[in-house]
Every structure is written in C-alpha cells, then in structure tokens.
Amino acid sequence: MTFKAWCITSTQGNDVVAYCGGGDLLPGVPFSACHNATLGELPLDLVAFRQRPRIQIGTVKISTVQLIKYVANTLGGIHFDPEGKSLKSKKAGVLISSAG
C-alpha cells in the first residue's frame, strides 16, 4: 500500500516551523504550513508514513505515530497502558464495563 502525503523535504536555519496536514483545505491546496522549510508530496509506504516527521518546531520533530500516541494518551482518548497503572485507564475500564 502506498500513500501520497505532504512531507517536510528540507529545512534551513534553526527557527523551522512546519506542519504537514492531512488532506486538502480546498481541492489541490494542502492544509499545511511552513517557515524555513520546504514541503513536497511524496509516495510513502505505511512504515515510512508512520515514521516520517509531520510537525517540526526548531529541531524537534514529531512523526505521525508520535502524534497519534500523544493525542490518544494525553487528551483522554483510548490509550495503551498494558499494566493498568494510569488513572485514565482505570476510568476507561469503568466506562467500558458499565456500557457493556
């Protein structure tokens, strides 16, 4: 499977700000923004799509999978907590068991 995705293809300087959105704001106009970076549409397999940086601020890069994990774990969504130590996972367990 191959995806066509907007990616950060090059950067210059230390004050890079780049965001590669998913999809188009208008047909043919990607929902992306950049400063001191160049974006380009690339064909990527699933592994490359997951690992490729989607956001960069300065030298900090965030991949697709890091972004998904952050949203799921931090913002109250479903998250991965195999040891059940998180307060959020205990709340989620109560909600799941009471909904079933």
Side-chain angles (χ1 to χ4, degrees):
M1 181 180 296
T2 302
F3 300 92
K4 284 184 80 177
W6 285 92
C7 303
I8 303 165
T9 56
S10 66
T11 61
Q12 56 199 25
N14 294 331
D15 58 344
V16 171
V17 177
Y19 167 71
C20 299
D24 292 348
L25 185 60
L26 300 170
V29 179
F31 187 70
S32 300
C34 65
H35 171 73
N36 283 341
T38 303
L39 305 180
E41 194 171 27
L42 301 175
L44 304 171
D45 64 19
L46 183 57
V47 173
F49 177 76
R50 289 179 59 233
Q51 296 173 344
R52 187 95 185 184
R54 308 294 295 159
I55 300 171
Q56 182 172 342
I57 308 292
T59 58
V60 177
K61 298 177 183 179
I62 301 168
S63 70
T64 303
V65 75
Q66 288 171 312
L67 182 61
I68 291 168
K69 284 182 181 180
Y70 172 80
V71 170
N73 290 336
T74 307
L75 300 180
I78 295 172
H79 58 284
F80 183 69
D81 182 14
E83 290 142 18
K85 294 180 180 177
S86 163
L87 180 59
K88 288 182 182 179
S89 67
K90 291 177 183 158
K91 287 181 183 177
V94 170
L95 292 175
I96 291 170
S97 63
S98 65

